[in-house]
């Protein structure tokens, strides 16, 4: 609905990006129909940043996309996403993944769209860039529909969460913490309490035990993700220190540690998602 900030969660490969491609018209549905309101203008953020022109500078990319904007407005928009001074004249081809993401997000926020679809917008972003994005989206008065695995990002913005599963879509009217709470509490309303000593009673007790074990795994996985996110944040802060830039050996050591941490974080996120999916199947 208008003004909502909704996040779409689900295991990798469940169809989240496919759903976005259906909403934007990039794909046609096999059956059924998609109908948008007469005044709905959709803009889509592709995590692969496929709509940038490598030969252009950052400034040219924005100016060509929005010819009615003056130089001051363009520079202000770019500054909001941390491009200042001579940075705006960097060529797109020379940018890092995080810088390209910030250019795409600048274009998105300058569009007249009132319904933004964002597919993993915090991927490749460092902490200052994430904070800039959160600030921009928090002040956005249109509707947001976002695919993300970043729990802090979700908690900061979410007014509702949708979970996409093989059985369908489940809605949670709250933030990520509320979502986790409800996931752990869900029970089958059709389940009847069996008589003690019966075979069905034994099976149900075993199922409850397995569910409690999985809830513990979810909690541990979440704690591991939080630990790695904190470590990544600390390493990124060290990387930004002036004394680090002057010490090549230290710079390489921190960079290597950051890459290893981010790789471990990605693996832990995948394990966490698998545990959540397993818990969902037990509910």
């Amino acid at each position: 609905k208008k003004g909502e900030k909704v996040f779409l969660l689900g295991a990798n490969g469940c169809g989240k990006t496919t759903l976005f491609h259906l909403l934007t018209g990039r794909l046609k549905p096999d059956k059924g129909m998609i109908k948008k309101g007469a005044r709905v203008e959709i803009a889509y953020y592709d995590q692969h940043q496929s709509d940038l022109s490598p030969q252009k500078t950052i400034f040219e990319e924005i100016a060509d996309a929005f010819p009615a904007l003056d130089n001051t407005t363009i520079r202000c928009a770019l500054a909001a996403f941390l491009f200042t001074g001579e940075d705006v004249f960097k060529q797109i081809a020379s940018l890092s993944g995080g810088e390209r993401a910030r250019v795409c997000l600048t274009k998105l926020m300058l569009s007249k769209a009132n319904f933004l679809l964002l597919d993993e917008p915090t991927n490749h972003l460092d902490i200052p860039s994430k904070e800039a994005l959160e600030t921009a989206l928090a002040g956005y008065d249109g509707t947001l529909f976002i695919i993300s695995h970043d729990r802090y990002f979700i908690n900061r913005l979410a007014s509702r969460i949708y979970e996409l599963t093989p059985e369908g879509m489940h809605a949670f009217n709250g933030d990520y913490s509320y979502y986790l709470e409800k996931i752990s509490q869900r029970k089958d309303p059709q389940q009847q309490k069996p008589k003690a000593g019966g075979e069905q009673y034994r099976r149900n007790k075993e199922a409850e035990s397995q569910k409690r074990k999985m809830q513990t795994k979810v909690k541990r996985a979440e704690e591991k993700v939080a630990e790695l996110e904190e470590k990544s944040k600390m390493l990124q802060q060290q990387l930004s220190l002036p004394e680090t830039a002057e010490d090549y050996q230290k710079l390489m050591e921190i960079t290597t540690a950051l890459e290893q941490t981010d790789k471990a974080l990605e693996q832990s996120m995948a394990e966490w998602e698998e545990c959540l999916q397993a818990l969902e199947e037990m509910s």
Side-chain angles (χ1 to χ4, degrees):
K1 297 178 181 179
K2 182 178 179 181
E4 281 192 310
K5 295 175 173 60
V6 182
F7 281 77
L8 180 62
L9 309 185
N12 290 335
C14 71
K16 300 185 296 293
T17 298
T18 299
L19 175 60
F20 273 26
H21 286 174
L22 288 167
L23 294 175
T24 59
R26 295 187 179 195
L27 292 176
K28 300 298 181 184
D30 295 326
K31 58 183 179 180
M33 62 182 294
I34 296 171
K35 184 179 180 181
K36 68 175 184 177
R39 297 182 181 179
V40 173
E41 293 294 334
I42 295 176
Y44 175 58
Y45 171 80
D46 181 355
Q47 61 176 308
H48 303 295
Q49 302 129 31
S50 58
D51 63 342
L52 298 179
S53 302
Q55 74 279 5
K56 293 181 180 179
T57 65
I58 297 173
F59 189 90
E60 288 171 342
E61 182 74 29
I62 303 300
D64 291 348
F66 305 97
L69 298 182
D70 57 39
N71 290 358
T72 301
T73 303
I74 293 174
R75 277 189 170 275
C76 287
L78 287 170
F81 282 92
L82 311 182
F83 292 113
T84 58
E86 295 300 308
D87 288 345
V88 302
F89 300 117
K90 287 182 178 179
Q91 194 172 22
I92 298 294
S94 70
L95 301 181
S96 66
E99 289 172 324
R100 286 171 177 255
R102 284 191 275 133
V103 175
C104 289
L105 292 166
T106 303
K107 291 176 67 176
L108 201 68
M109 297 307 295
L110 284 171
S111 72
K112 296 184 181 298
N114 53 17
F115 182 26
L116 303 185
L117 301 176
L118 310 180
D119 190 349
E120 299 285 4
T122 59
N123 276 8
H124 311 297
L125 296 184
D126 56 19
I127 292 173
S129 300
K130 286 183 182 181
E131 291 175 348
L133 174 61
E134 288 174 1
T135 300
L137 294 179
Y140 179 69
D141 58 4
T143 304
L144 298 174
F145 197 16
I146 306 173
I147 297 172
S148 180
H149 298 91
D150 188 328
R151 63 197 188 98
Y152 294 110
F153 182 60
I154 299 170
N155 255 342
R156 171 83 189 274
L157 295 172
S159 59
R160 187 190 305 200
I161 289 175
Y162 284 144
E163 181 188 37
L164 185 59
T165 73
E167 292 75 35
M169 193 82 80
H170 303 284
F172 302 84
N173 294 319
D175 61 13
Y176 177 73
S177 297
Y178 177 82
Y179 162 74
L180 277 185
E181 179 185 348
K182 290 301 180 183
I183 281 288
S184 66
Q185 292 178 352
R186 275 189 300 198
K187 295 182 182 292
D188 183 356
Q190 302 301 320
Q191 185 178 358
Q192 296 181 359
K193 187 175 180 180
K195 295 180 180 179
E199 178 65 18
Q200 186 62 41
Y201 176 79
R202 185 192 65 78
R203 290 178 182 174
N204 284 352
K205 292 295 288 183
E206 183 179 343
E208 288 174 6
S209 174
Q210 292 298 321
K211 185 175 180 179
R212 284 194 297 270
K213 289 179 182 179
M214 187 55 64
Q215 288 171 344
T216 300
K217 283 187 176 182
V218 169
K219 184 178 179 180
R220 288 176 179 172
E222 184 182 10
E223 290 172 349
K224 182 66 174 178
V225 167
E227 177 186 333
L228 289 169
E229 285 178 337
E230 185 61 30
K231 183 177 179 181
S232 178
K233 180 179 178 180
M234 180 189 68
L235 289 170
Q236 289 183 50
Q237 290 172 342
Q238 292 179 5
L239 204 58
S240 64
L241 294 174
E243 55 264 34
T244 301
E246 296 171 0
D247 187 335
Y248 178 76
Q249 184 174 353
K250 186 175 182 180
L251 178 65
M252 294 304 297
E253 289 175 356
I254 295 175
T255 300
T256 300
L258 180 59
E259 289 175 351
Q260 292 173 345
T261 301
D262 286 345
K263 185 176 181 180
L265 176 58
E266 184 178 351
Q267 182 177 350
S268 294
M269 288 292 291
E271 292 172 356
W272 168 70
E273 288 179 4
E274 289 176 4
C275 290
L276 275 182
Q277 181 65 26
L279 183 60
E280 163 67 18
E281 292 172 355
M282 292 178 180
S283 299

